[in-house]
Amino acid sequence: RTLIKTAGGYGFVDYDSTAALSDLQLDGRCGSRMLKRETSSFGVVDDINRKASQQLRSVLQGGDLGVIILILLSQIRSRVLYSKSSDMVKEHVKVIGNKYDDCEAVMCLLLEYLADTSDDSKAKEKFAASMPSLLDLHEKYGVDTAVAWMLCRPLVRKSMFYMDDSKLASKASPAYLKPFASSPEMTSSYQSLLPEAAWKHITPSMFEVFYSLHVYDITCPAERYNVDTDRLKKDCERLTQLQKGGEAARGQMSVLAAAAAAAGGNQDQIRQATTFSRTHAVELDRLKHNVDQLSKDFQRQQKRCKVVLSKLEAQKESLIGPDKEVVNSSMFAQSFMTFCIYPRCFLSPEDALFCAHFVKLLHKIKVPGFLTVELIDNIVNSVTGSLYCMTEDEAGNCSIFFNEIWKSVNSWRYDNDAFASELKNTPGSQLSKEFAQEYGIEDHSLTGGITHDDYKAIYSQWHQKIGSAAIGCLKSSEYMHTRAALIVLSRIVLIFPTQPKTGDKILKTLGPLQGDGNERPDIRATAQGYCSQLTKARDEGVWKEENIAVTKARQEREKTKAEERKKKLAQQHEDMKKETEVISRQLGDGRDGWRPDRRDERREDRGRPRGMDPRVHSRAPPLSAIAPKFTPKSGGESRDLHGRPGESRKPGMERDTWERDRSGRQSDSRDSRRPSGETSRGERRKRSRSPEPGEDTERSTQKRTRGDRDWAPHRRDAPSSDQQQSSRGGGPRRSDRRGGSSRY
C-alpha cells in the first residue's frame, strides 16, 4: 500500500477512512482520473517520480505478480473474519474489522494501478494476459461473485467501449479482450455465479449490466468539472501575470510575498517567491495541461453517459422479464437487493455511488417491473439489519449509498411537485400484491401506483425503523455497533431524522456517550460532533414534521436559557469584582491608609532584612498615633511597643526621623552607629556622581581621605554642603536650579 502510494504516485486513490470522504471528494471519484487527482487533496497535487512508478509497474506486471497479489487479497479478505491467530488470545472485533477493511482498500488500490493506461498504453493488455476468466476466479480460486466482477471489470468495460474509445468503428476488439467480452459463452457462465432460484427473478441481461458498468459510465459530475476547471484557469492567470511582470503582477507579487513572509522566510526567500522561476514555469505548464485534460475528460464522460443511457433505453423491456407475473413479482426487489446491490455497495465508495445512481437511473427511464418503492423498503430493512454486523469502512460505504437514496425519498415525501413529477404514475410507484397487503394499501396501487398519502404512511414506518435500529446501536455495549451507527447517522444528518419524536430520542440517547464516564474517547468525540450537527440541523428546519407551536416554544426556551446564562455570567463577574474590592480594602486597613511612594519603599528595603514586614521597620512610620507603651513592673523606663528593644524614643521622634529620611537632609540613625570606616549607601552614591562646580576640591578631598582613620561621619548639627556653598557665595547647585533633589 505504501509502495503504490509513494513510489507509484497513487496516493490520490487511497483514503484513510470512507467515513471521512467529503462530498467534493465523492464527486471527484465519479469522474475521470484527472478529476479524482485534483479533488482528492483539495487541489494539492504531490509530485510523481515517473521513473520509480514505471519500475514498480514493471515489477508487478512481470511474472503475474500483481494479479497473484490481487487474488490472494481477495481470498484472505473472506477468511479474516473466521480465522484465529491464536487459541489463547481473543482478538477484538475492531481489529478484525480493520484487517478486513485493509484487504479491501489495498485490493482496490492495486487494481486501479495495474489497469491504468495513462503511463503505459499496454497496461491493460499485460493485465489481461495475467487475469483469469470470471468463471475461473469464482470456481477455481474461490473468489465471491462481487469481487470476481470487480477484478475483471476494467477488462469488461474495455471490451464494451472499445469502439468508442479507439474511434475505429470498423476494427474489432483485440484478442486479449475476447475472454471478457459479452458473448453467449460468457452469458452461459453466469449460471454458476448465483443460486438457481435467483435466476427466476433476475435476468442475465440485468445481472450483466449491473456488474459490468462503473459509476463513471452512468453519471457525470458536470458541476465539479466546471468548478475545478475554473480554479485551474485562475491559477494559470495568476502565474501568467507573474511571468509578464509590470503593473498587473504587483498584486500577485504582494500576495506571494505575504505568503512567504507568513511562512517565516527571509528576504532572499521572499524575493525568490515573487520572481517567476523555473518552478513557476513547470507549475504553469502543469496547470495548462490539466485544464485541457479536464475539458477533454468532461466531454468524453458526457458522451459515455449518453451511450450507456441509450443502450439501457433500448433494452429496458428485457431487463426484468417479459412475463407480466414476473414483472410485478415481489421477489424481484428482494433478489435484486440480495444478489446485486448488497454485495457491491459495501466494496468501495465508487461502488456505493454506482448502486445508488443505478437505482435512480432505472427508475428515471421507467423500466417496466422495476418496483422502486418496494426496493427502497428492502434497502431500509437491509441497512437497519446491517448496522449490527459491519466494519467501519463498510459503514462509510453504506452511509454513502443510503445518503444518495434517502435524498430522493425525502424529496418525494415533503415536496408535492417532486412526487408528482418523479414518482407518481410511474412503474416505480406500483406495488406487488403482497407488499400492498402488508402495508394496508388498496388495490389501486397494483396498476396505477400509490398516492401521496399512501407514500407518507410508508415513509413514516421507514423512518421509525431506521430510528429504532440507530438508537439500539447507540445503546449497545459493543464498540462496533455504536461506531457504525454514528458513521451512518453523521453522513445523513441533513436528511434524517425529519420527525421530532425520533430526533429527540436520538439526542437523549447521545447524552451518556458524550459524558466523561464514556471510556472510549473516539466514540465520545464522534458523539459530540454528531450531537452538534443534529442540533444545528434541527434549528435550521431539517425536522420538517415538527409543529410550528412546538418549534416556537423550543426557541423561546432556548432564548430564555441563553439569557439566564448571560445573567449568570454577569452576576459572577460582579461577585468577583466585589470580592476583589473587599480583599483590597482588607489589605489597605492594616496600613491605616498609609501609601508610601514605591521609590521610597525600594530605597528603604535596602536596610531591611529580606521578608521583613515594612511596618515593623525602624525607619517606617508608627503603626498608630497612640501606640501603647510598655512599663516594667520593676519601675524601669517606659517605651513604645513599636520601637526596637533597647531603644528609647521621644514623642514624635519616629515621624521626624522618617520625614528626615524622606527628604534626604539628615542621615539615617543607623549610620551614627556604624564604625568609623563605613559610610552609608547614600553617601557613597553622592561621591560616585560627577562633581558640581564649586565643590571639586571638597569632594576630591573627601574621596581621597575616605580610608583615613580621622574621618568622621557627618554630624547633624554641622552645616550641610549646601549651606557651606551658600555661605561662600557659590549659589545654588545646578540640580537645585532644575528643581530636582540633590540626593538623585
Side-chain angles (χ1 to χ4, degrees):
R1 187 173 190 175
T2 305
L3 277 174
I4 299 174
K5 290 169 61 177
T6 55
Y10 258 61
F12 67 94
V13 179
D14 196 18
Y15 47 82
D16 295 331
S17 173
T18 56
L21 292 174
S22 64
D23 293 338
L24 183 146
Q25 293 171 323
L26 292 177
D27 288 344
R29 290 178 176 270
C30 294
S32 63
R33 185 172 287 104
M34 180 62 67
L35 183 64
K36 186 184 298 185
R37 187 185 295 273
E38 289 292 332
T39 57
S40 61
S41 300
F42 304 98
V44 180
V45 181
D46 298 331
D47 294 334
I48 302 174
N49 189 336
R50 296 192 178 276
K51 185 176 180 181
S53 179
Q54 293 173 0
Q55 183 68 21
L56 177 62
R57 189 185 302 276
S58 64
V59 171
L60 292 175
Q61 290 173 346
D64 303 334
L65 179 60
V67 175
I68 292 174
I69 296 176
L70 281 175
I71 296 175
L72 289 175
L73 285 172
S74 62
Q75 293 173 342
I76 294 172
R77 171 181 171 273
S78 59
R79 288 167 174 77
V80 162
L81 302 178
Y82 308 103
S83 62
K84 286 186 177 181
S85 59
S86 175
D87 295 335
M88 303 298 295
V89 180
K90 182 180 179 181
E91 287 187 330
H92 196 275
V93 178
K94 180 181 178 181
V95 178
I96 300 174
N98 289 341
K99 290 181 180 179
Y100 185 89
D101 292 338
D102 289 341
C103 290
E104 181 63 37
V106 176
M107 187 165 54
C108 294
L109 181 63
L110 180 58
L111 176 63
E112 188 156 354
Y113 181 73
L114 292 175
D116 183 16
T117 57
S118 58
D119 295 333
D120 186 3
S121 59
K122 295 184 177 181
K124 277 194 171 63
E125 182 177 355
K126 298 176 182 177
F127 181 65
S130 304
M131 177 61 65
S133 64
L134 182 65
L135 186 61
D136 289 341
L137 285 174
H138 181 69
E139 294 184 349
K140 185 176 180 180
Y141 297 100
V143 181
D144 60 85
T145 303
V147 177
W149 271 105
M150 184 184 71
L151 297 181
C152 296
R153 188 172 297 119
L155 301 174
V156 172
R157 293 177 62 238
K158 182 69 174 178
S159 63
M160 289 177 63
F161 304 105
Y162 180 78
M163 302 297 180
D164 300 327
D165 294 342
S166 61
K167 298 180 181 180
L168 297 175
S170 60
K171 186 176 180 180
S173 60
Y176 68 89
L177 292 177
K178 287 184 178 181
F180 307 96
S182 179
S183 61
E185 294 80 7
M186 184 79 168
T187 304
S188 61
S189 66
Y190 296 158
Q191 298 298 322
S192 61
L193 299 179
L194 293 181
E196 184 178 355
W199 294 113
K200 297 180 181 179
H201 312 288
I202 299 177
T203 60
S205 58
M206 171 66 81
F207 181 74
E208 183 180 25
V209 167
F210 178 82
Y211 277 109
S212 299
L213 297 177
H214 189 266
V215 66
Y216 175 90
D217 305 322
I218 61 176
T219 181
C220 180
E223 182 180 358
R224 184 55 51 197
Y225 271 112
N226 295 330
V227 169
D228 276 78
T229 302
D230 294 340
R231 177 180 59 82
L232 294 177
K233 286 181 179 179
K234 289 181 180 179
D235 293 341
C236 287
E237 292 177 0
R238 174 177 57 83
L239 292 179
T240 303
Q241 290 178 357
L242 184 63
Q243 183 181 19
K244 292 180 179 179
E247 294 292 336
R250 286 188 177 182
Q252 300 298 333
M253 293 174 65
S254 62
V255 172
L256 294 174
N266 52 28
Q267 294 295 332
D268 293 338
Q269 292 174 342
I270 295 175
R271 192 180 301 108
Q272 292 176 2
T274 56
T275 305
F276 189 82
S277 60
R278 183 177 179 182
T279 305
H280 292 145
V282 173
E283 179 68 12
L284 181 60
D285 294 338
R286 185 189 72 84
L287 292 174
K288 290 181 179 179
H289 174 266
N290 289 356
V291 168
D292 297 337
Q293 187 65 37
L294 279 179
S295 300
K296 295 178 181 178
D297 291 345
F298 180 40
Q299 297 175 1
R300 187 181 298 111
Q301 188 171 2
Q302 281 185 320
K303 182 180 178 182
R304 172 69 62 83
C305 292
K306 291 179 180 179
V307 170
V308 172
L309 182 60
S310 62
K311 289 183 178 180
L312 289 176
E313 288 276 4
Q315 59 179 349
K316 69 178 182 180
E317 298 293 337
S318 61
L319 288 177
I320 305 299
D323 191 359
K324 187 65 178 178
E325 295 181 358
V326 177
V327 168
N328 287 330
S329 173
S330 62
M331 293 302 296
F332 167 76
Q334 298 179 14
S335 302
F336 186 67
M337 180 66 200
T338 303
F339 299 108
C340 294
I341 293 179
Y342 192 85
R344 184 173 179 180
C345 71
F346 288 102
L347 293 178
S348 66
E350 291 87 349
D351 290 315
L353 290 169
F354 170 81
C355 291
H357 287 290
F358 188 78
V359 171
K360 291 182 179 181
L361 182 60
L362 294 186
H363 173 77
K364 182 180 179 180
I365 63 177
K366 300 179 181 181
V367 175
F370 189 78
L371 308 181
T372 307
V373 176
E374 288 196 25
L375 180 61
I376 294 174
D377 183 75
N378 283 273
I379 290 173
V380 171
N381 293 334
S382 301
V383 170
T384 53
S386 300
L387 286 175
Y388 294 91
C389 56
M390 62 173 62
T391 64
E392 289 191 35
D393 281 353
E394 285 182 337
N397 295 330
C398 178
S399 66
I400 294 170
F401 165 72
F402 193 71
N403 182 55
E404 293 294 329
I405 293 294
W406 203 253
K407 286 179 182 178
S408 299
V409 174
N410 250 11
S411 64
W412 297 339
R413 165 61 180 84
Y414 297 105
D415 190 349
N416 294 332
D417 296 336
F419 177 84
S421 61
E422 298 177 8
L423 184 62
K424 188 177 180 180
N425 297 327
T426 61
S429 65
Q430 298 177 5
L431 303 179
S432 64
K433 187 175 181 180
E434 295 82 0
F435 187 85
Q437 292 177 354
E438 180 183 355
Y439 282 88
I441 301 175
E442 298 179 359
D443 294 339
H444 64 81
S445 61
L446 303 181
T447 56
I450 60 175
T451 62
H452 199 199
D453 293 335
D454 297 334
Y455 182 77
K456 288 180 180 179
I458 298 173
Y459 176 88
S460 298
Q461 297 191 33
W462 291 342
H463 195 282
Q464 186 178 359
K465 285 181 182 179
I466 299 171
S468 300
I471 292 172
C473 288
L474 294 177
K475 290 182 178 180
S476 175
S477 59
E478 176 58 48
Y479 171 86
M480 290 306 303
H481 297 168
T482 307
R483 182 67 175 170
L486 287 173
I487 290 174
V488 174
L489 290 174
S490 298
R491 175 73 67 176
I492 63 175
V493 66
L494 296 179
I495 53 177
F496 180 89
T498 57
Q499 297 178 354
K501 185 177 180 180
T502 303
D504 291 334
K505 288 182 179 179
I506 293 176
L507 284 174
K508 185 178 179 180
T509 309
L510 290 173
L513 298 178
Q514 302 177 68
D516 296 334
N518 189 358
E519 298 179 355
R520 298 163 178 167
D522 55 340
I523 295 293
R524 181 168 62 249
T526 308
Q528 291 172 353
Y530 172 66
C531 183
S532 301
Q533 294 176 351
L534 184 59
T535 305
K536 182 180 178 182
R538 180 196 63 185
D539 297 338
E540 291 178 352
V542 175
W543 295 10
K544 298 180 180 180
E545 296 188 34
E546 190 174 29
N547 192 359
I548 298 178
V550 176
T551 304
K552 290 183 177 180
R554 176 173 49 79
Q555 292 176 352
E556 290 294 333
R557 288 196 303 269
E558 292 177 354
K559 185 178 180 180
T560 303
K561 290 181 180 179
E563 292 178 355
E564 291 178 355
R565 287 194 299 266
K566 187 176 180 180
K567 291 180 181 179
K568 187 177 180 180
L569 291 175
Q571 184 64 33
Q572 291 178 354
H573 180 72
E574 291 295 332
D575 295 343
M576 292 176 62
K577 187 177 180 181
K578 291 180 181 179
E579 186 177 356
T580 304
E581 292 177 355
V582 171
I583 294 174
S584 301
R585 195 180 305 113
Q586 290 176 353
L587 293 176
D589 291 341
R591 301 187 180 186
D592 292 335
W594 176 66
R595 297 291 187 271
D597 192 356
R598 300 302 300 173
R599 294 177 298 177
D600 296 323
E601 288 183 3
R602 289 193 296 268
R603 185 174 67 248
E604 297 298 333
D605 286 346
R606 297 186 186 119
R608 183 174 70 246
R610 184 175 182 180
M612 185 176 181
D613 196 319
R615 293 177 293 175
V616 301
H617 195 268
S618 61
R619 299 172 64 183
L623 293 177
S624 177
I626 53 173
K629 294 184 179 182
F630 173 74
T631 303
K633 292 183 179 181
S634 59
E637 182 180 3
S638 300
R639 64 177 182 272
D640 295 333
L641 291 180
H642 62 255
R644 291 184 177 182
E647 281 188 308
S648 177
R649 298 176 181 267
K650 296 179 181 181
M653 181 177 177
E654 295 82 0
R655 178 65 65 178
D656 295 339
T657 304
W658 185 72
E659 291 293 338
R660 286 195 299 272
D661 292 339
R662 281 179 58 87
S663 62
R665 292 171 183 165
Q666 296 186 11
S667 60
D668 195 348
S669 60
R670 291 177 297 177
D671 294 342
S672 61
R673 296 190 299 273
R674 293 179 184 272
S676 59
E678 297 183 6
T679 60
S680 65
R681 297 182 182 180
E683 289 293 333
R684 288 199 296 270
R685 185 162 57 249
K686 279 184 178 182
R687 297 189 186 97
S688 63
R689 67 176 178 82
S690 302
E692 298 288 344
E695 60 177 0
D696 298 345
T697 306
E698 180 184 357
R699 296 289 180 180
S700 59
T701 304
Q702 290 180 2
K703 189 173 183 179
R704 286 194 301 270
T705 61
R706 181 175 178 179
D708 298 342
R709 293 191 176 187
D710 26 337
W711 178 85
H714 182 72
R715 298 194 307 275
R716 294 183 180 181
D717 54 351
S720 63
S721 59
D722 297 342
Q723 296 173 356
Q724 293 177 3
Q725 187 174 4
S726 300
S727 63
R728 290 195 297 268
R733 291 183 293 175
R734 185 165 48 193
S735 61
D736 295 338
R737 290 197 301 269
R738 292 195 303 266
S741 174
S742 62
R743 189 178 184 106
Y744 298 100

